Amino acid sequence: SDIAAQREFSDYAGPAKDFNHGVAYFVQKFKNCLVDELDDSFIHVTCATDTNNMEVVLDSARAIIMTDNLKRRRDSLKYTNRGTLKKSQRDLAAQAS
């Protein structure tokens, strides 16, 4: 359909009924909504009935979630380990006195 004919997308300036221009328009609209330019952001053009491509999309989403969780866990362990290390050094100093 004609994207520009839709009130919400009246700023679309590409040719009517052109798939590639339409996709580029929506990709840019999505990027404009991102708060930060993230290195782990993936934009996939797909159709829910394309099971192979949906598998790629879901695998990418899983990878992003797992990577983020691992980073958070690593960072929390670093903080915990630093606190434990400082406490251990104080304990050793107190014992040596």
Side-chain angles (χ1 to χ4, degrees):
S1 70
D2 185 2
I3 296 171
Q6 306 301 313
R7 183 173 24 122
E8 296 82 3
F9 309 117
S10 60
D11 60 334
Y12 175 72
K17 300 181 183 180
D18 184 292
F19 178 80
N20 292 328
H21 280 89
V23 166
Y25 168 78
F26 283 108
V27 165
Q28 190 58 51
K29 290 283 261 190
F30 179 78
K31 286 181 177 180
N32 291 345
C33 293
L34 294 174
V35 176
D36 294 319
E37 195 64 35
L38 303 174
D39 292 335
D40 59 358
S41 293
F42 297 100
I43 299 173
H44 295 280
V45 177
T46 189
C47 173
T49 60
D50 182 348
T51 56
N52 291 332
N53 204 6
M54 283 305 298
E55 197 170 325
V56 170
V57 171
L58 295 175
D59 287 345
S60 295
R62 280 187 207 99
I64 291 168
I65 292 166
M66 288 173 56
T67 300
D68 187 56
N69 285 337
L70 288 170
K71 284 179 185 175
R72 288 179 189 197
R73 178 69 177 149
R74 182 196 65 212
D75 292 345
S76 71
L77 287 175
K78 282 182 183 177
Y79 178 75
T80 302
N81 288 341
R82 275 184 274 167
T84 303
L85 180 61
K86 288 178 183 176
K87 182 179 178 186
S88 297
Q89 288 172 339
R90 280 195 312 259
D91 292 344
L92 288 173
Q95 289 173 357
S97 311

